[in-house]
Amino acid sequence: ELKVEQNPLFLSMQEGKNYTIYCNYSTTSDRLYWYRQDPGKSLESLFVLLSNGAVKQEGRLMASLDTKARLSTLHITAAVHDLSATYFCAVDNVGGGADGLTFGKGTHLIIQP
Amino acid sequence: ETGVTQSPTHLIKTRGQQVTLRCSSQSGHNTVSWYQQALGQGPQFIFQYYREEENGRGNFPPRFSGLQFPNYSSELNVNALELDDSALYLCASSLGRNNEQFFGPGTRLTVL
């Protein structure tokens, strides 16, 4: 059974600081997704990482994937209040029979002025 | 291009009742997946429909069932509702079974 673990689950940080969210998963997969969710809202796609060593950046967010270590990171640079949200990583269970995404529990990020 | 839409946005039911949630996939997408997101948790995969057939299923009991129509829209039916079924139900569509999924706004179901 595919398991996806995120840490930390809760993060409070100040504006201007840098931090990294980690996503570990338990079985082989070459597809990893990062989503943002605001309170009461749906999931907004941030990054799609499709191969080992993939790195993508959008604004203050950068995501990377190491399939050998089964690890993805979401790095936040010089955080601003607008980035406050819950961030999920999800792994595609390709070939596992379910053909669905397995999500982590999410990282609840609060950025304080 | 129209995105994924879901209806209704909110719904209140009582235990034992049945509910039907609806999803229209993004234009051109032939695959629909359904997820349940309990408060404070990550979404959990319920099942996926591809070309009108169930293509995969997560760890949900048979009282969770679905349909996909020729226009690729989909329904999620839940029978004999339980309190723990209270959640945000998300529908996602994709072009093919293993491609990026795009999520709808969700239906918030409350079971009293």
Side-chain angles (χ1 to χ4, degrees), chain B residues 79-94:
Chain B
N79 293 323
L81 283 166
E82 301 176 0
L83 296 180
D84 285 349
D85 295 334
S86 295
L88 179 67
Y89 287 85
L90 296 165
C91 163
S93 75
S94 58

Side-chain angles (χ1 to χ4, degrees), chain A residues 31 33 35 37 41-43 45 48 88 92 97-101 103-105, chain B residues 35 37 41-43 45 48 55-57 88 90 98-101 103-105:
Chain A
R31 271 197 278 259
Y33 304 85
Y35 292 92
Q37 187 175 42
K41 303 293 186 182
S42 187
L43 299 172
S45 178
V48 180
F88 292 96
D92 209 336
D99 283 328
L101 296 176
F103 284 80
K105 291 187 176 181
Chain B
Y35 294 82
Q37 186 179 21
Q41 301 295 317
F45 174 66
Q48 182 184 81
N55 182 59
R57 190 178 183 94
L88 179 67
L90 296 165
N98 296 322
N99 292 323
E100 184 180 5
Q101 299 180 20
F103 285 82

Side-chain angles (χ1 to χ4, degrees), chain A residues 76-98:
Chain A
I76 304 157
T77 302
V80 293
H81 178 69
D82 286 352
L83 291 178
S84 296
T86 299
Y87 292 85
F88 292 96
C89 65
V91 178
D92 209 336
N93 192 21
V94 177

